[in-house]
Amino acid sequence: MIYNESAIIGKLNVYIIPPFLSLLVSLIIIYIALFKSRFKSENIIFVILCIWWSLLSPVFLCHQFLRGNEELILYIERAVHFFYVYTPAISLLYCFRVTNTDNRLLVRAAFALSFFISLFTPTEYYIPALNEYSWGYMGKGGIAFLAFGAYAGAVLIYLIIFFVKR
């Protein structure tokens, strides 16, 4: 597939700035963590966490360049979410590593739940369709997506309470 340069420039708009900046900042943080700091296991986990947290930025960039090709965008959304659902588990792993807390059972349970949810990401149970907006697309959440949201929210609340008590 050959792209016409004017067609690509015609697709550039203001909505590309936030995901581009998010991706750029993530890459800078990853670079600093890898090459400008001491080599420690928590730095590697932090880099992995940064990669996972920034997974959605390229997807939102694709929304601008692939506008109108909803089938391909839906495929990309589902494929990226296959990995993205591991973000809560990686966040737990990182926080426990940094605080030198041993809670292997919770981390294993989180990875198991992430794995279970990831099995549904290629299906309509996770993202059945897309909503179209002026700034791009947003997946309509199915029952598995709602389960992921509840799981991620529970991990967030747990981590807030964990750090407040620390």
Side-chain angles (χ1 to χ4, degrees), residues 88 92 106 113 147-161:
L92 280 173
L106 185 58
L113 187 53
F148 169 68
Y151 158 55
V155 168
L156 177 62
I157 291 168
Y158 174 83
L159 288 174
I160 290 170
I161 292 169

Side-chain angles (χ1 to χ4, degrees), residues 44-54 87 90-91 94:
I44 301 303
I45 298 171
F46 179 73
V47 166
I48 293 168
L49 185 61
C50 286
I51 291 169
W52 253 252
W53 274 105
S54 64
T87 304
I90 296 169
S91 298
Y94 175 71

Side-chain angles (χ1 to χ4, degrees), residues 25-45:
V25 168
S26 296
L27 292 173
I28 290 169
I29 292 171
I30 289 167
Y31 173 79
I32 292 169
L34 279 177
F35 301 110
K36 299 293 182 181
S37 62
R38 292 180 288 154
F39 187 77
K40 295 167 63 174
S41 62
E42 53 261 10
N43 289 1
I44 301 303
I45 298 171

